[in-house]
Amino acid sequence: MAEAKEELDQPTEAASAEQMAARYRLAFIDLEKYPVDYALIQSLPVDMMLRNKFIPLKRENGHMTLAMADPSDLPLLDELKAQLKVHLKPAVATRSAIEGVLRKADASDRVYAEATEGFRASLIKETEGGGEEVVDLERLSSDAEMSPIIRLVDTIVFTALEKRASDIHIETRDTDVLVRYRIDGALYEAGEPIDIKHHQTIISRIKVMSELDIAERRVPQDGRFRMRIKGRRVDFRVSIIPSVYGEDAVIRILDKEQINESFKDLKLDVVGFDPVLLAKFRRFIHEPYGMVLVTGPTGSGKTTTLYGALNEIRNDEDKIITIEDPVEYQLRGVMQIQVNEKKGLTFARGLRSMLRHDPDKIMVGEIRDNETAQIAINSALTGHLVFTTVHANNVIDVIGRFMNMGVEVYNFVSALNCVLAQRLVRMLCTRCKQQYQPTDEEFIESGLNPQRYKDRIVYRSVGCEICNHTGYRGRTAIHELLDLTDNIRELIIARRPGSEVRRAACEEGLGSLRESALRLVFEGQTTLHEINRVTFVEQIN
């Protein structure tokens, strides 16, 4: 009994570590909740950290913060300072938590090493006859200096795919090159910057893969390439532009095979619609003819929404044809045409040819010019159901865009069934999101009355291993839908100001993108910070 009581009186490991932190006036770090930087950990020898029971937490302004099991060991601190060549700021963590983090870091390092050890990327090039041939990237250069750069570019691409990135940004600065990935719409650094001396070699490697002019460094260049990575084909679009310190590159990743698997059974339910809005939009996409227009900036999910609509309405009785640039995913039972401007296949020319194939429903990837707009409008007026997109900020701005293209307002309004505006917002990680009470200032900055909303449940992002310490995982859409009623049509034909059209539409039930975003906040799916980043703040009582 006495032994059992003595065991109960023993402080836990965490309590002992907290007491030690208090005694030496240091911070106590709970590593289960702390956003550990595994890239920083993997930059140091694992055996050194295991032997001395510490991990680095952050490095800034010439100082490194360490979580240590025993910060009272001054000779050890002096030794580490000499080895790491940096000023140290010790903090306290439990021995078992430090060992757990190191085991995880070592395991992830081994997994990555195993994954990349046999990793070979092959470039796929189109032959003159329209077929494909595989080209070994190593053979594209006989320069021995290029071999490490080839592996570096391969690793950058491979890591981007593993992290679900949509874009790779290679940015040149005065002394180094920074690689960043766009994940769920936000940019994150890929790792430590690369020395500026490797900059031109990296850009040259990307140009060779994209069949661009290596000697030309003063004007922008656009290209594309396709690679076979781990058994699947992945398309990449490349844009290179000269900046103050050299050429910058952005590589858009189009992982069609993975996308096709994910979107095989895509329906509008998974896009993120409000149930009431979804019912209205479904009514418009089942109309026998007319134009369904989706608007928003690049990367706002417009094409995904249109694919969801096509998936819902396709059947054996109708012929559906699309023209896109590029064809992002293949749909069974749908004839899809890829724009090829080099060969003269533009949206307008392809659309004219499509109409000779007797389609019932048409999708035009994007309306960019007057000719395409006129053909699409005429198609909608002559018995076809036309789905298309255009770049505009909201459902009212679309009207001005088409007027600027020189289309006849009466024909445009007569053809139009509805306009859907869309944006994407990041969703909170379901594992680490945390409920909290915003301050009055945060409510006011978000255009909300603190007295009215202070009792509503709101969440904030925290960060964990699942979401790569961002606090967010995945995205969902917010919408506003303009119904072209007789009243709205008459206002547009009379060329009334956009503010008057919006006011009339709001009286008829038009909800804003902001209201759609706030619904997601109070459902616990996203944060006030995220919707303030994506939408304009509106004063909502």
Side-chain angles (χ1 to χ4, degrees), residues 150-418:
I150 292 171
R151 288 194 293 272
L152 173 61
V153 173
D154 284 357
T155 303
I156 289 170
V157 169
F158 177 79
T159 309
L161 289 168
E162 291 294 298
K163 290 181 177 288
R164 305 178 298 108
S166 61
D167 301 86
I168 303 168
H169 290 241
I170 299 173
E171 302 168 355
T172 314
R173 303 189 295 195
D174 54 347
T175 59
D176 52 37
V177 179
L178 185 65
V179 178
R180 299 201 289 174
Y181 299 136
R182 187 174 293 281
I183 304 170
D184 293 334
L187 285 169
Y188 302 97
E189 291 187 15
E192 292 293 315
I194 302 166
D195 195 295
I196 191 68
K197 68 182 181 183
H198 300 301
H199 161 253
Q200 198 53 54
T201 323
I202 292 169
I203 297 296
S204 295
R205 167 53 32 187
I206 295 169
K207 284 182 177 179
V208 167
M209 295 164 67
S210 310
E211 297 184 313
L212 300 177
D213 186 356
I214 297 177
E216 181 57 74
R217 301 180 184 179
R218 295 163 296 177
V219 297
Q221 295 189 68
D222 294 322
R224 60 181 65 199
F225 62 92
R226 177 178 291 172
M227 295 175 75
R228 181 169 291 150
I229 299 174
K230 295 183 73 174
R232 69 177 191 261
R233 294 187 308 175
V234 184
D235 288 342
F236 300 86
R237 282 189 293 172
V238 178
S239 177
I240 295 175
I241 193 167
S243 67
V244 174
Y245 298 112
E247 291 176 294
D248 284 17
V250 174
I251 304 172
R252 166 65 59 88
I253 301 171
L254 297 169
D255 194 353
K256 293 182 184 178
E257 292 188 16
Q258 189 173 18
I259 289 171
N260 287 336
E261 191 64 32
S262 304
F263 286 80
K264 190 179 293 180
D265 300 313
L266 174 66
K267 295 290 188 291
L268 290 172
D269 303 90
V270 302
V271 176
F273 274 96
D274 173 82
V276 176
L277 209 63
L278 178 57
K280 291 176 67 176
F281 187 62
R282 277 191 167 132
R283 176 165 56 85
F284 292 121
I285 67 173
H286 283 92
E287 296 283 358
Y289 55 84
M291 181 183 287
V292 174
L293 191 57
V294 181
T295 185
T298 302
S300 60
K302 302 185 296 295
T303 306
T304 303
T305 297
L306 288 182
Y307 272 121
L310 289 177
N311 251 340
E312 290 204 1
I313 65 170
R314 65 180 177 174
N315 57 60
D316 295 335
E317 297 177 352
D318 292 331
K319 181 164 187 175
I320 302 174
I321 307 180
T322 75
I323 180 163
E324 308 163 60
D325 184 24
V327 174
E328 293 188 20
Y329 8 94
Q330 285 88 42
L331 291 177
R332 186 182 297 275
V334 176
M335 178 181 172
Q336 295 173 276
I337 301 168
Q338 168 88 43
V339 166
N340 189 340
E341 294 191 358
K342 288 183 179 178
K343 302 293 185 182
L345 179 53
T346 61
F347 275 111
R349 184 174 178 182
L351 189 49
R352 278 197 300 270
S353 298
M354 282 165 55
L355 295 173
R356 302 189 192 108
H357 281 252
D358 188 30
D360 297 286
K361 288 147 177 107
I362 298 168
M363 186 182 110
V364 183
E366 184 185 343
I367 290 181
R368 299 173 180 170
D369 53 56
N370 173 270
E371 187 179 7
T372 309
Q374 294 285 10
I375 300 170
I377 290 167
N378 290 337
S379 302
L381 289 171
T382 54
H384 301 91
L385 183 62
V386 179
F387 295 87
T388 188
T389 74
V390 71
H391 287 158
N393 286 325
N394 55 57
V395 292
I396 306 299
D397 288 351
V398 169
I399 301 159
R401 284 274 299 171
F402 273 84
M403 289 180 181
N404 288 337
M405 287 182 195
V407 302
E408 176 58 47
V409 178
Y410 182 82
N411 287 341
F412 170 59
V413 172
S414 300
L416 203 56
N417 289 352
C418 70

